[in-house]
Amino acid sequence: MTRSGPDPLGTPAPRPTGAQPDRLYEIDLLRIIAAVAVVIYHYTFSGFASHLTEVGFPGLSVITRYGYLGVDLFFLISGFVVLLSAWNRTPEKFVVSRIVRLYPAFWVAVTLTAIVSVTLSRGVFPVSIVQYLANLTMFNSLPNIENVDVVYWTLWAEIRFYLLVFVLTCVGITRQRVIGVLWAWLAATFLLQAGFLPAGLHGVLDLAVQSTFSHYFIAGMALCVIHRSGGSWSLWAIIAISLGNALFRGAQFAAAVADRYQTELNTVVVLVTIVLIFVVICLIALRVTRSLGKPWFSTAGSLTYPLYLVHAHIGFVIFVWLGPVVPGYVLLVGTTALMFGVAWLIHITAERRFAPVLKRVLDRWATALRNRISPPQPPAPPAPQRPVDEPTEFLTVPITPYRDGGPRPAPGHHR
């Protein structure tokens, strides 16, 4: 049940159930920060550390090596905004919205990346026809077909999260159902992490649970509920437990990154960054940061998805070709600006022009499918007309009898 009184933790009063959420420009700003952090991480640290390029930034990379945590921020944002957008939507409308959001830009990005990789990467990033076609579906991880670009692994995580939200739209999204799902998801996460489930089932179950990053999606969804209808001790407990698990897994992941690149990562920096990520999203959910939001954040934020999709392998190829002749920082700024330009072109062509066309087609298909499964009911016959001389209900005056049995007007009525 939605709380009606003030929350002891200072959560704002619940919003009306049917109210449309306001645009959260602060989220758009966070998207920009996360995307740029990931881009700079690849260009200044991981590309050189994995020997994909020869252009190193020894001073800058001491800081930018933590940019991979932009992905953690993306997952927390996704848990928040995807549930927010799915609330009060039918299952078919949710599916259409996700397809239109993900696929047009992705189809362009994966095609550009495949062309550049095949023609200019000197065999470093080979792409086969089967691999390319499988990537177009975004489900290439199911048959274990490699991604065309290394960054696409996050899309598979997002799609599995969308499937969970889709199930919620099928049964109807309510506050209590979401809270119940979040507790169940947390429990499944800890069962998998603790190794209590049979080894043969672990991989299959983790396809749905995603125990490595589930805490971000769970916390984001809990904060969405708080943003919409107020907090509760149950929701704040979910967020606190998720934060604890994020810190635990974040320290493990940092050790794995350091081992992979044969370098050092300061665990304290990683943990403090994760805490800051949670704190900032909490402040947004509580509407503390509303005055900081600017409409132009939305325009810049719309470039983050295509930027994320195209920057990695194409950027590495540019670094390989131009690294020997262009100064490092000039190459860094120029390549980043070029990738923003490519992202803008993808946005105005694929997302602003093609996506609405795709949406209209999918809406028609969804309507036809819904009508086939549940045909529309014929309209109810019109109510019979009253005779003109028949007194209507609101003109009828109740009467009560006098003591002698005669009628008299009821109290409060006047002839």
Side-chain angles (χ1 to χ4, degrees), residues 17-320:
T17 303
Q20 293 297 321
D22 297 328
R23 178 80 185 191
L24 297 172
Y25 295 114
E26 312 96 287
I27 292 288
D28 293 308
L29 176 61
L30 291 181
R31 284 195 181 107
I32 300 166
I33 294 171
V36 171
V38 173
V39 170
I40 302 303
Y41 163 78
H42 284 135
Y43 289 171
T44 64
F45 174 71
S46 73
F48 179 77
S50 56
H51 308 292
L52 293 174
T53 77
E54 298 299 324
V55 183
F57 300 85
L60 184 61
S61 65
V62 173
I63 299 172
T64 58
R65 66 185 58 193
Y66 300 99
Y68 73 89
L69 291 167
V71 172
D72 301 53
L73 176 55
F74 271 132
F75 286 154
L76 187 57
I77 290 173
S78 186
F80 187 105
V81 300
V82 171
L83 180 62
L84 191 65
S85 68
W87 216 293
N88 295 328
R89 268 186 171 162
T90 61
E92 62 269 20
K93 287 188 179 297
F94 174 73
V95 171
V96 168
S97 72
R98 291 299 93 195
I99 292 175
V100 170
R101 176 71 183 96
L102 288 186
Y103 278 92
F106 178 74
W107 287 332
V108 176
V110 73
T111 302
L112 285 175
T113 302
I115 292 172
V116 171
S117 297
V118 170
T119 60
L120 297 174
S121 74
R122 300 172 180 173
V124 175
F125 304 124
V127 178
S128 69
I129 292 295
V130 172
Q131 181 186 1
Y132 167 70
L133 294 176
N135 270 249
L136 290 177
T137 68
M138 287 194 194
F139 286 85
N140 53 289
S141 292
L142 278 178
N144 201 27
I145 296 175
E146 190 175 354
N147 289 311
V148 168
D149 194 308
V150 65
V151 300
Y152 296 166
W153 71 269
T154 61
L155 300 177
W156 179 230
E158 290 283 348
I159 287 176
R160 286 180 285 163
F161 169 58
Y162 294 165
L163 289 175
L164 173 67
V165 179
F166 169 74
V167 172
L168 274 172
T169 64
C170 290
V171 300
I173 300 177
T174 66
R175 179 185 173 94
Q176 290 306 317
R177 285 173 184 165
V178 171
I179 293 174
V181 166
L182 296 184
W183 279 115
W185 198 355
L186 270 180
T189 296
F190 284 106
L191 286 175
L192 285 168
Q193 288 183 186
F196 290 148
L197 301 177
L201 293 177
H202 187 282
V204 175
L205 291 176
D206 209 22
L207 278 174
V209 175
Q210 304 196 69
S211 58
T212 305
F213 295 102
S214 59
H215 37 267
Y216 290 118
F217 294 119
I218 292 169
M221 293 175 71
L223 287 167
C224 171
V225 177
I226 290 172
H227 178 75
R228 279 185 55 90
S229 57
S232 67
W233 289 109
S234 179
L235 286 166
W236 287 111
I238 288 171
I239 293 166
I241 295 171
S242 297
L243 173 58
N245 200 45
L247 295 173
F248 171 70
R249 297 305 292 259
Q252 289 183 330
F253 197 80
V257 171
D259 183 64
R260 181 194 315 162
Y261 295 119
Q262 296 298 299
T263 188
E264 294 182 358
L265 287 175
N266 189 320
T267 304
V268 174
V269 172
V270 172
L271 300 184
V272 169
T273 303
I274 291 173
V275 171
L276 286 176
I277 288 171
F278 270 78
V279 169
V280 170
I281 302 296
C282 283
L283 293 176
I284 292 174
L286 295 172
R287 307 173 191 273
V288 174
T289 61
R290 293 198 59 169
S291 61
L292 302 178
K294 306 298 180 186
W296 70 266
F297 292 167
S298 175
T299 303
S302 64
L303 304 182
T304 56
Y305 178 55
L307 173 66
Y308 179 81
L309 294 176
V310 299
H311 81 275
H313 283 192
I314 295 177
F316 293 149
V317 169
I318 294 173
F319 269 62
V320 168

Side-chain angles (χ1 to χ4, degrees), residues 367-377:
T367 300
L369 179 62
R370 184 175 64 250
N371 291 341
R372 180 176 299 230
I373 296 174
S374 178
Q377 299 298 319

